[in-house]
Amino acid sequence: NAGVTQTPKFRILKIGQSMTLQCTQDMNHNYMYWYRQDPGMGLKLIYYSVGAGITDKGEVPNGYNVSRSTTEDFPLRLELAAPSQTSVYFCASREGQGANQPQHFGDGTRLSIL
Amino acid sequence: AQTVTQSQPEMSVQEAETVTLSCTYDTSESNYYLFWYKQPPSRQMILVIRQEAYKQQNATENRFSVNFQKAAKSFSLKISDSQLGDTAMYFCAFMKGGGSNYKLTFGKGTLLTVNP
């Protein structure tokens, strides 16, 4: 069972570079989320999507972009990497209706901006 | 906006003993859900237990149980018969119910170490 798959697992970027963090889920979940986890902190929501073609900002969207062209994929784009974006990034998904459905998380991507 | 507070940055417990992790939250919502997630060194986020706010009965999952005090807005996690594999960061999380986008708001976490 693949669940939520994130790639890459680790990446080092230089300031000003751009990259895309990939997230794929094979559970046909409507809802998908991107979080960042800074050292000693809980997860903070960057962007989320309630279905293909629909995305919305979370708590900390600045410096990021997302798209949701398919149900399965929800990539996160960093256009101009900054040291403040050094973090661990988690993608998650959940089924649609039913508030008691939990979020399923990927294994995270550790990103360092130098 | 909702806030979740975990006042214990770190805790430790001896193997086979019981430990309680604290969580308080602030919300004006009446329909919501609360969760405890575990994050071991492998970095995975694993759901431990969940509680629906409309249920008075405290949730239990094997060695894990919660003490949900709605009026006090408190949601503590009790781990009985602690095992070495319970060593992890534990996050308390809040989710508004009622057909929302089901976003989670997390606390900062408590690092639990189980000692042999």
Side-chain angles (χ1 to χ4, degrees):
Chain A
N1 294 333
V4 179
T5 303
Q6 291 184 237
T7 56
K9 294 192 183 304
F10 305 95
R11 185 71 183 269
I12 298 174
L13 283 181
K14 294 183 179 179
I15 296 171
Q17 285 186 321
S18 62
M19 79 162 293
T20 299
L21 281 65
Q22 301 291 346
C23 176
T24 299
Q25 53 92 8
D26 61 357
M27 297 172 282
N28 200 33
H29 285 173
N30 289 325
Y31 292 74
M32 296 188 74
Y33 308 84
W34 273 106
Y35 296 90
R36 59 178 287 174
Q37 183 182 23
D38 298 329
M41 303 291 286
L43 280 67
K44 292 189 176 181
L45 184 65
I46 306 172
Y47 270 95
Y48 67 96
S49 170
V50 301
I54 306 170
T55 63
D56 207 346
K57 296 177 180 179
E59 298 175 73
V60 289
N62 291 343
Y64 306 95
N65 280 300
V66 294
S67 60
R68 185 92 182 273
S69 56
T70 66
T71 299
E72 295 79 17
D73 300 309
F74 190 41
L76 177 71
R77 178 87 178 159
L78 282 72
E79 290 295 348
L80 290 171
S84 61
Q85 294 177 304
T86 293
S87 190
V88 179
Y89 291 84
F90 287 95
C91 180
S93 73
R94 73 184 301 279
E95 292 186 52
Q97 300 305 315
N100 63 346
Q101 298 297 325
Q103 290 189 16
H104 301 265
F105 286 82
D107 290 342
T109 294
R110 183 177 295 278
L111 181 63
S112 295
I113 315 295
L114 304 177
Chain B
Q2 286 70 230
T3 59
V4 177
T5 302
Q6 293 179 249
S7 59
Q8 305 151 316
E10 295 187 37
M11 293 191 71
S12 63
V13 65
Q14 293 298 121
E15 196 174 6
E17 293 187 346
T18 296
V19 64
T20 298
L21 309 183
S22 300
C23 172
T24 58
Y25 58 95
D26 188 23
T27 185
S28 58
E29 302 289 335
S30 58
N31 180 15
Y32 55 88
Y33 296 75
L34 296 163
F35 304 84
W36 278 99
Y37 278 88
K38 168 185 177 181
Q39 187 180 43
S42 66
R43 216 171 59 198
Q44 281 183 303
M45 291 289 288
I46 303 165
L47 178 66
V48 175
I49 198 165
R50 73 186 110 178
Q51 174 79 43
E52 294 89 340
Y54 62 85
K55 289 188 177 179
Q56 292 186 333
Q57 186 174 6
N58 289 324
T60 62
E61 288 286 343
N62 301 314
R63 297 183 295 108
F64 299 88
S65 61
V66 298
N67 183 6
F68 174 48
Q69 301 289 328
K70 191 171 183 177
K73 296 181 180 176
S74 170
F75 182 60
S76 60
L77 174 70
K78 185 171 85 171
I79 305 174
S80 304
D81 186 25
S82 297
Q83 301 175 359
L84 297 177
D86 295 333
T87 292
M89 281 289 288
Y90 287 82
F91 293 98
C92 178
F94 172 98
M95 185 185 78
K96 188 169 68 172
S100 68
N101 45 42
Y102 309 112
K103 294 186 291 185
L104 289 172
T105 300
F106 287 87
K108 292 184 178 182
T110 296
L111 177 60
L112 175 67
T113 302
V114 180
N115 298 309

